[in-house]
Amino acid sequence: MMKESLITSSVLILAVLAIRQLFKRVLSRRLQYGLWALVLVRLLVPVSLPAVNFSILTATQPVQAAVALRLERPIAPQAPPPRPPPPGPPQARNPGGTGAGGPPPA
């Protein structure tokens, strides 16, 4: 019951916001207050409407099922990315050197 009220109230609020945005220059202040009064009545009076074949609640069922399935599956831990190899000793980076760190032979 509570979930139904939350979902339908949220959809009603989004509808009022969309109507206000689409008709902002056409709607009078009185009509805008009337739309918000509908939202207020919906929030204050928890009335359950009779079941119909299609509603906001039945439209959200596939999403709820997908979320529940996703939450049931364990998330495989990801391996950390490979670390770059540490830099070699300075002698190894001396081209033409003897490898001992001294100057190349003459």
Side-chain angles (χ1 to χ4, degrees):
M1 177 76 175
M2 184 68 171
K3 180 175 70 169
E4 295 173 13
S5 178
L6 281 173
I7 292 173
T8 55
S9 298
S10 298
V11 170
L12 183 59
I13 290 170
L14 289 175
V16 168
L17 289 173
I19 289 170
R20 284 187 65 215
Q21 194 68 325
L22 289 172
F23 301 107
K24 69 172 97 174
R25 289 184 170 74
V26 179
L27 291 178
S28 67
R29 292 279 180 201
R30 177 176 276 175
L31 190 55
Q32 289 182 28
Y33 283 121
L35 290 173
W36 285 116
L38 287 174
V39 172
L40 183 65
V41 168
R42 177 65 188 119
L43 289 171
L44 293 177
V45 182
V47 176
S48 180
L49 300 174
V52 293
N53 290 337
F54 179 78
S55 71
I56 296 300
L57 298 175
T58 58
T60 61
Q61 286 176 351
V63 175
Q64 291 173 352
V67 168
L69 181 65
R70 178 73 176 175
L71 291 175
E72 288 174 2
R73 271 192 270 155
I75 298 174
Q78 294 181 347
R83 293 175 51 187
Q91 296 87 5
R93 289 186 278 164
N94 186 1
T98 61

PDB file of all heavy atoms in Angstrom, residues 13-32:
ATOM      1  N   ILE A  13       3.316  14.057  -9.278  1.00  0.00           N
ATOM      2  CA  ILE A  13       4.169  15.244  -9.129  1.00  0.00           C
ATOM      3  C   ILE A  13       4.932  15.519 -10.421  1.00  0.00           C
ATOM      4  O   ILE A  13       5.017  16.663 -10.884  1.00  0.00           O
ATOM      5  CB  ILE A  13       5.128  15.080  -7.933  1.00  0.00           C
ATOM      6  CG1 ILE A  13       4.342  15.141  -6.628  1.00  0.00           C
ATOM      7  CG2 ILE A  13       6.236  16.124  -7.961  1.00  0.00           C
ATOM      8  CD1 ILE A  13       5.141  14.750  -5.401  1.00  0.00           C
ATOM      9  N   LEU A  14       5.489  14.474 -11.038  1.00  0.00           N
ATOM     10  CA  LEU A  14       6.201  14.657 -12.305  1.00  0.00           C
ATOM     11  C   LEU A  14       5.257  15.159 -13.396  1.00  0.00           C
ATOM     12  O   LEU A  14       5.639  16.004 -14.220  1.00  0.00           O
ATOM     13  CB  LEU A  14       6.862  13.347 -12.732  1.00  0.00           C
ATOM     14  CG  LEU A  14       8.055  12.908 -11.891  1.00  0.00           C
ATOM     15  CD1 LEU A  14       8.546  11.536 -12.324  1.00  0.00           C
ATOM     16  CD2 LEU A  14       9.177  13.927 -11.969  1.00  0.00           C
ATOM     17  N   ALA A  15       4.026  14.664 -13.401  1.00  0.00           N
ATOM     18  CA  ALA A  15       3.053  15.120 -14.388  1.00  0.00           C
ATOM     19  C   ALA A  15       2.721  16.605 -14.179  1.00  0.00           C
ATOM     20  O   ALA A  15       2.635  17.371 -15.146  1.00  0.00           O
ATOM     21  CB  ALA A  15       1.784  14.278 -14.307  1.00  0.00           C
ATOM     22  N   VAL A  16       2.550  17.016 -12.938  1.00  0.00           N
ATOM     23  CA  VAL A  16       2.256  18.427 -12.656  1.00  0.00           C
ATOM     24  C   VAL A  16       3.429  19.310 -13.078  1.00  0.00           C
ATOM     25  O   VAL A  16       3.235  20.368 -13.690  1.00  0.00           O
ATOM     26  CB  VAL A  16       1.915  18.629 -11.160  1.00  0.00           C
ATOM     27  CG1 VAL A  16       1.902  20.097 -10.784  1.00  0.00           C
ATOM     28  CG2 VAL A  16       0.578  17.993 -10.831  1.00  0.00           C
ATOM     29  N   LEU A  17       4.646  18.860 -12.778  1.00  0.00           N
ATOM     30  CA  LEU A  17       5.817  19.640 -13.184  1.00  0.00           C
ATOM     31  C   LEU A  17       5.908  19.750 -14.705  1.00  0.00           C
ATOM     32  O   LEU A  17       6.237  20.819 -15.242  1.00  0.00           O
ATOM     33  CB  LEU A  17       7.085  19.014 -12.612  1.00  0.00           C
ATOM     34  CG  LEU A  17       7.278  19.158 -11.106  1.00  0.00           C
ATOM     35  CD1 LEU A  17       8.481  18.343 -10.640  1.00  0.00           C
ATOM     36  CD2 LEU A  17       7.443  20.612 -10.716  1.00  0.00           C
ATOM     37  N   ALA A  18       5.619  18.649 -15.403  1.00  0.00           N
ATOM     38  CA  ALA A  18       5.667  18.666 -16.867  1.00  0.00           C
ATOM     39  C   ALA A  18       4.588  19.590 -17.429  1.00  0.00           C
ATOM     40  O   ALA A  18       4.850  20.369 -18.366  1.00  0.00           O
ATOM     41  CB  ALA A  18       5.502  17.255 -17.413  1.00  0.00           C
ATOM     42  N   ILE A  19       3.391  19.519 -16.876  1.00  0.00           N
ATOM     43  CA  ILE A  19       2.302  20.380 -17.345  1.00  0.00           C
ATOM     44  C   ILE A  19       2.646  21.845 -17.114  1.00  0.00           C
ATOM     45  O   ILE A  19       2.419  22.700 -17.984  1.00  0.00           O
ATOM     46  CB  ILE A  19       0.974  20.001 -16.660  1.00  0.00           C
ATOM     47  CG1 ILE A  19       0.487  18.643 -17.188  1.00  0.00           C
ATOM     48  CG2 ILE A  19      -0.090  21.061 -16.868  1.00  0.00           C
ATOM     49  CD1 ILE A  19      -0.681  18.070 -16.406  1.00  0.00           C
ATOM     50  N   ARG A  20       3.191  22.148 -15.955  1.00  0.00           N
ATOM     51  CA  ARG A  20       3.571  23.541 -15.665  1.00  0.00           C
ATOM     52  C   ARG A  20       4.629  24.030 -16.642  1.00  0.00           C
ATOM     53  O   ARG A  20       4.592  25.182 -17.088  1.00  0.00           O
ATOM     54  CB  ARG A  20       4.106  23.668 -14.241  1.00  0.00           C
ATOM     55  CG  ARG A  20       3.021  23.627 -13.193  1.00  0.00           C
ATOM     56  CD  ARG A  20       3.567  23.929 -11.829  1.00  0.00           C
ATOM     57  NE  ARG A  20       4.056  25.298 -11.798  1.00  0.00           N
ATOM     58  CZ  ARG A  20       5.117  25.687 -11.094  1.00  0.00           C
ATOM     59  NH1 ARG A  20       5.787  24.837 -10.370  1.00  0.00           N
ATOM     60  NH2 ARG A  20       5.495  26.938 -11.105  1.00  0.00           N
ATOM     61  N   GLN A  21       5.587  23.155 -16.959  1.00  0.00           N
ATOM     62  CA  GLN A  21       6.665  23.562 -17.860  1.00  0.00           C
ATOM     63  C   GLN A  21       6.151  23.749 -19.290  1.00  0.00           C
ATOM     64  O   GLN A  21       6.547  24.687 -19.975  1.00  0.00           O
ATOM     65  CB  GLN A  21       7.781  22.507 -17.822  1.00  0.00           C
ATOM     66  CG  GLN A  21       9.063  22.963 -18.434  1.00  0.00           C
ATOM     67  CD  GLN A  21       9.757  24.049 -17.643  1.00  0.00           C
ATOM     68  OE1 GLN A  21       9.137  24.914 -17.043  1.00  0.00           O
ATOM     69  NE2 GLN A  21      11.058  24.021 -17.633  1.00  0.00           N
ATOM     70  N   LEU A  22       5.286  22.848 -19.730  1.00  0.00           N
ATOM     71  CA  LEU A  22       4.778  22.937 -21.097  1.00  0.00           C
ATOM     72  C   LEU A  22       3.850  24.128 -21.305  1.00  0.00           C
ATOM     73  O   LEU A  22       3.838  24.743 -22.366  1.00  0.00           O
ATOM     74  CB  LEU A  22       4.039  21.644 -21.467  1.00  0.00           C
ATOM     75  CG  LEU A  22       4.916  20.411 -21.663  1.00  0.00           C
ATOM     76  CD1 LEU A  22       4.055  19.171 -21.833  1.00  0.00           C
ATOM     77  CD2 LEU A  22       5.833  20.602 -22.860  1.00  0.00           C
ATOM     78  N   PHE A  23       3.044  24.429 -20.289  1.00  0.00           N
ATOM     79  CA  PHE A  23       2.032  25.478 -20.425  1.00  0.00           C
ATOM     80  C   PHE A  23       2.278  26.641 -19.465  1.00  0.00           C
ATOM     81  O   PHE A  23       1.344  27.214 -18.922  1.00  0.00           O
ATOM     82  CB  PHE A  23       0.638  24.890 -20.161  1.00  0.00           C
ATOM     83  CG  PHE A  23       0.277  23.763 -21.087  1.00  0.00           C
ATOM     84  CD1 PHE A  23       0.257  22.461 -20.630  1.00  0.00           C
ATOM     85  CD2 PHE A  23      -0.029  24.008 -22.408  1.00  0.00           C
ATOM     86  CE1 PHE A  23      -0.074  21.420 -21.467  1.00  0.00           C
ATOM     87  CE2 PHE A  23      -0.369  22.973 -23.260  1.00  0.00           C
ATOM     88  CZ  PHE A  23      -0.380  21.675 -22.793  1.00  0.00           C
ATOM     89  N   LYS A  24       3.535  27.005 -19.267  1.00  0.00           N
ATOM     90  CA  LYS A  24       3.833  28.019 -18.251  1.00  0.00           C
ATOM     91  C   LYS A  24       3.230  29.389 -18.556  1.00  0.00           C
ATOM     92  O   LYS A  24       2.907  30.129 -17.672  1.00  0.00           O
ATOM     93  CB  LYS A  24       5.332  28.120 -17.986  1.00  0.00           C
ATOM     94  CG  LYS A  24       6.158  28.679 -19.095  1.00  0.00           C
ATOM     95  CD  LYS A  24       7.587  28.911 -18.662  1.00  0.00           C
ATOM     96  CE  LYS A  24       8.440  27.760 -19.078  1.00  0.00           C
ATOM     97  NZ  LYS A  24       9.838  27.936 -18.840  1.00  0.00           N
ATOM     98  N   ARG A  25       3.047  29.714 -19.820  1.00  0.00           N
ATOM     99  CA  ARG A  25       2.463  31.021 -20.153  1.00  0.00           C
ATOM    100  C   ARG A  25       0.939  30.955 -20.300  1.00  0.00           C
ATOM    101  O   ARG A  25       0.276  31.976 -20.361  1.00  0.00           O
ATOM    102  CB  ARG A  25       3.089  31.545 -21.443  1.00  0.00           C
ATOM    103  CG  ARG A  25       4.518  31.978 -21.260  1.00  0.00           C
ATOM    104  CD  ARG A  25       5.087  32.585 -22.527  1.00  0.00           C
ATOM    105  NE  ARG A  25       6.369  33.212 -22.333  1.00  0.00           N
ATOM    106  CZ  ARG A  25       7.519  32.582 -22.166  1.00  0.00           C
ATOM    107  NH1 ARG A  25       7.544  31.280 -22.127  1.00  0.00           N
ATOM    108  NH2 ARG A  25       8.651  33.247 -22.021  1.00  0.00           N
ATOM    109  N   VAL A  26       0.390  29.747 -20.364  1.00  0.00           N
ATOM    110  CA  VAL A  26      -1.042  29.587 -20.599  1.00  0.00           C
ATOM    111  C   VAL A  26      -1.803  29.363 -19.290  1.00  0.00           C
ATOM    112  O   VAL A  26      -2.911  29.866 -19.117  1.00  0.00           O
ATOM    113  CB  VAL A  26      -1.285  28.402 -21.568  1.00  0.00           C
ATOM    114  CG1 VAL A  26      -2.761  28.192 -21.807  1.00  0.00           C
ATOM    115  CG2 VAL A  26      -0.551  28.629 -22.876  1.00  0.00           C
ATOM    116  N   LEU A  27      -1.204  28.625 -18.361  1.00  0.00           N
ATOM    117  CA  LEU A  27      -1.894  28.286 -17.111  1.00  0.00           C
ATOM    118  C   LEU A  27      -1.965  29.488 -16.170  1.00  0.00           C
ATOM    119  O   LEU A  27      -0.957  30.164 -15.942  1.00  0.00           O
ATOM    120  CB  LEU A  27      -1.178  27.144 -16.392  1.00  0.00           C
ATOM    121  CG  LEU A  27      -1.235  25.769 -17.031  1.00  0.00           C
ATOM    122  CD1 LEU A  27      -0.433  24.779 -16.203  1.00  0.00           C
ATOM    123  CD2 LEU A  27      -2.658  25.289 -17.165  1.00  0.00           C
ATOM    124  N   SER A  28      -3.131  29.691 -15.637  1.00  0.00           N
ATOM    125  CA  SER A  28      -3.270  30.751 -14.642  1.00  0.00           C
ATOM    126  C   SER A  28      -2.734  30.256 -13.300  1.00  0.00           C
ATOM    127  O   SER A  28      -2.553  29.051 -13.091  1.00  0.00           O
ATOM    128  CB  SER A  28      -4.747  31.133 -14.495  1.00  0.00           C
ATOM    129  OG  SER A  28      -5.470  30.045 -13.935  1.00  0.00           O
ATOM    130  N   ARG A  29      -2.492  31.173 -12.412  1.00  0.00           N
ATOM    131  CA  ARG A  29      -2.022  30.800 -11.068  1.00  0.00           C
ATOM    132  C   ARG A  29      -3.050  29.925 -10.363  1.00  0.00           C
ATOM    133  O   ARG A  29      -2.695  28.993  -9.660  1.00  0.00           O
ATOM    134  CB  ARG A  29      -1.747  32.049 -10.232  1.00  0.00           C
ATOM    135  CG  ARG A  29      -0.578  32.838 -10.713  1.00  0.00           C
ATOM    136  CD  ARG A  29       0.686  32.228 -10.213  1.00  0.00           C
ATOM    137  NE  ARG A  29       1.813  33.019 -10.701  1.00  0.00           N
ATOM    138  CZ  ARG A  29       3.022  32.546 -10.777  1.00  0.00           C
ATOM    139  NH1 ARG A  29       3.276  31.332 -10.422  1.00  0.00           N
ATOM    140  NH2 ARG A  29       3.984  33.294 -11.223  1.00  0.00           N
ATOM    141  N   ARG A  30      -4.301  30.223 -10.555  1.00  0.00           N
ATOM    142  CA  ARG A  30      -5.362  29.453  -9.901  1.00  0.00           C
ATOM    143  C   ARG A  30      -5.329  27.987 -10.356  1.00  0.00           C
ATOM    144  O   ARG A  30      -5.437  27.071  -9.550  1.00  0.00           O
ATOM    145  CB  ARG A  30      -6.719  30.073 -10.206  1.00  0.00           C
ATOM    146  CG  ARG A  30      -7.871  29.283  -9.632  1.00  0.00           C
ATOM    147  CD  ARG A  30      -9.174  29.967  -9.858  1.00  0.00           C
ATOM    148  NE  ARG A  30      -9.314  30.950  -8.775  1.00  0.00           N
ATOM    149  CZ  ARG A  30     -10.285  31.810  -8.668  1.00  0.00           C
ATOM    150  NH1 ARG A  30     -11.202  31.870  -9.599  1.00  0.00           N
ATOM    151  NH2 ARG A  30     -10.361  32.640  -7.658  1.00  0.00           N
ATOM    152  N   LEU A  31      -5.137  27.771 -11.656  1.00  0.00           N
ATOM    153  CA  LEU A  31      -5.080  26.409 -12.172  1.00  0.00           C
ATOM    154  C   LEU A  31      -3.816  25.694 -11.687  1.00  0.00           C
ATOM    155  O   LEU A  31      -3.849  24.500 -11.375  1.00  0.00           O
ATOM    156  CB  LEU A  31      -5.140  26.420 -13.697  1.00  0.00           C
ATOM    157  CG  LEU A  31      -5.319  25.078 -14.382  1.00  0.00           C
ATOM    158  CD1 LEU A  31      -6.550  24.347 -13.859  1.00  0.00           C
ATOM    159  CD2 LEU A  31      -5.410  25.258 -15.870  1.00  0.00           C
ATOM    160  N   GLN A  32      -2.706  26.420 -11.589  1.00  0.00           N
ATOM    161  CA  GLN A  32      -1.483  25.818 -11.071  1.00  0.00           C
ATOM    162  C   GLN A  32      -1.663  25.395  -9.614  1.00  0.00           C
ATOM    163  O   GLN A  32      -1.241  24.297  -9.222  1.00  0.00           O
ATOM    164  CB  GLN A  32      -0.318  26.793 -11.196  1.00  0.00           C
ATOM    165  CG  GLN A  32       0.134  26.999 -12.626  1.00  0.00           C
ATOM    166  CD  GLN A  32       1.318  27.927 -12.712  1.00  0.00           C
ATOM    167  OE1 GLN A  32       2.109  28.028 -11.782  1.00  0.00           O
ATOM    168  NE2 GLN A  32       1.449  28.605 -13.845  1.00  0.00           N
TER     169      GLN A  32
END
